[in-house]
Amino acid sequence: MSETTSLEGRTAVVTGAGAGLGRTEVLALAAGGANIVVNDVGSAAHDVVAEVESLGRKAVAVTGDVGDWSLGDQLVQAAVDTFGSLDIVVNNAGITRDTMLFNLTEQQWDDVIRVHLKGHASVSRAAAAHWRQASKAAGGPVYGRVVNTASEAFLFGAPGQPNYSAAKAGIVALTLSTAQGLSRYGITANAICPRARTGMTEGVFGDAAAADGLDLLAPERVATLVSYLGSPASAEINGQVFVVYGDFVALLAPPTVEKKFTAADGTFSVEELDEQLTGYFTGRSPYQTFAAYDVARLDTTGVPNLAASR
């Protein structure tokens, strides 16, 4: 491992790290040299700590729900108190409560938004406050990396995941705000849209297909990118969104303006909107919407129903 990709001496917080993608991210960061604060809601966090220690690295478990706002401060404090610094935050914790919009309950909406979006915000806010104070004390930029977990569901608007899709769209917006608000302090923030075969996605991806080498949907493929984004080498990568799985990492471009409609006298009437817009959209393909269906063409796994990723 090169000096620019090494995480030696760094401290990372990883949420939702008791299993699946979060656990794999923890192990990748530890393999890179980092000490880890392992968060999950249950005792599995302690099992992952034991795995980290078997690699010769240090880790501490902090159990709790990231949807509780105060947990963000607890995670940051654990990093600083135990290891002396906070350098990397990987917001990974999430749940699914899949349903069609007409069946969506208030509880299903609240649960998903709370864990995904509020959970990302609670930890990011606490880390941001710490880094801002550290930067002021140092009189200049400090080291900080935020890696947030979005999903291709925010690009497609997965029909059976209105809550999950909305949460993931919010996470992307939160990432952009974090990137812009903290860059002056030396902090970067980026989002990943992963596909990984874990307990959370077993109903989507099923069992691993027979293949030589690493499964195309192995979470280790995602964890490698997370380790890189946490490293010094990624210093100039900020406010970006990546799709990652299989043998590729795809950098997404921002939305573009397809067509600008302008009122002839400066103010639209309904009739003029009809004149300009109705004909433009007549006969338009139902797949030609704001949804980024072109991203689905990246898929080479042969596994169906991948719109519900992560």
Side-chain angles (χ1 to χ4, degrees):
M1 183 169 293
S2 70
E3 184 177 338
T4 58
T5 58
S6 172
L7 302 177
E8 195 70 38
R10 306 292 182 188
T11 299
V13 168
V14 183
T15 68
L21 185 56
R23 169 187 166 273
T24 309
E25 290 167 340
V26 165
L27 297 179
L29 292 165
N35 300 314
I36 317 288
V37 177
V38 180
N39 162 255
D40 213 307
V41 291
S43 61
H46 296 280
D47 298 331
V48 176
V49 166
E51 289 188 81
V52 172
E53 292 174 342
S54 72
L55 296 174
R57 300 298 174 184
K58 297 179 180 179
V60 61
V62 176
T63 57
D65 184 346
V66 292
D68 294 332
W69 195 257
S70 63
L71 187 67
D73 289 317
Q74 295 176 44
L75 293 172
V76 171
Q77 201 61 49
V80 175
D81 289 349
T82 308
F83 304 117
S85 69
L86 172 65
D87 305 291
I88 304 162
V89 169
V90 180
N91 285 308
N92 169 74
I95 61 172
T96 55
R97 298 288 186 270
D98 294 353
T99 184
M100 297 296 288
L101 182 60
F102 41 76
N103 291 324
L104 179 67
T105 67
E106 182 178 10
Q107 194 65 55
Q108 289 172 322
W109 173 268
D110 287 348
D111 286 348
V112 170
I113 297 297
R114 180 182 58 81
V115 175
H116 283 281
L117 186 52
K118 184 180 178 183
H120 272 62
S122 68
V123 181
S124 296
R125 184 219 61 83
H130 167 77
W131 283 323
R132 179 172 178 262
Q133 184 177 13
S135 177
K136 288 186 174 182
V142 294
Y143 189 100
R145 303 282 189 269
V146 178
V147 181
N148 289 334
T149 307
S151 165
E152 289 165 276
F154 101 89
L155 296 167
F156 304 141
Q161 297 181 307
N163 44 7
Y164 183 82
S165 299
K168 292 305 189 181
I171 285 168
V172 171
L174 174 65
T175 303
L176 299 179
S177 181
T178 303
Q180 294 189 63
L182 299 187
S183 62
R184 73 187 71 177
Y185 306 114
I187 313 306
T188 67
N190 297 285
I192 60 171
C193 299
R195 297 185 187 184
R197 197 185 308 278
T198 68
M200 182 173 165
T201 59
E202 61 186 356
V204 177
F205 298 138
D207 297 327
D212 294 331
L214 201 61
D215 174 18
L216 283 172
L217 294 171
E220 288 82 1
R221 295 179 181 273
V222 177
T224 300
L225 175 62
V226 170
S227 181
Y228 166 74
L229 290 174
S231 73
S234 68
E236 295 187 43
I237 302 176
N238 193 32
Q240 306 298 331
V241 180
F242 298 93
V243 174
V244 52
Y245 66 94
D247 62 354
F248 72 86
V249 172
L251 173 64
L252 298 186
T256 59
V257 176
E258 176 184 334
K259 173 74 173 177
K260 181 180 179 181
F261 302 94
T262 305
D265 63 358
T267 303
F268 271 115
S269 65
V270 173
E271 290 74 21
E272 188 180 6
L273 287 170
D274 175 32
E275 180 182 336
Q276 291 200 41
L277 273 68
T278 301
Y280 186 82
F281 285 97
T282 299
R284 191 179 180 93
S285 166
Y287 294 103
Q288 192 178 353
T289 70
F290 194 75
Y293 290 109
D294 281 351
V295 175
R297 297 174 184 171
L298 294 168
D299 182 27
T300 59
T301 64
V303 180
N305 301 319
L306 284 179
S309 56
R310 163 65 170 76

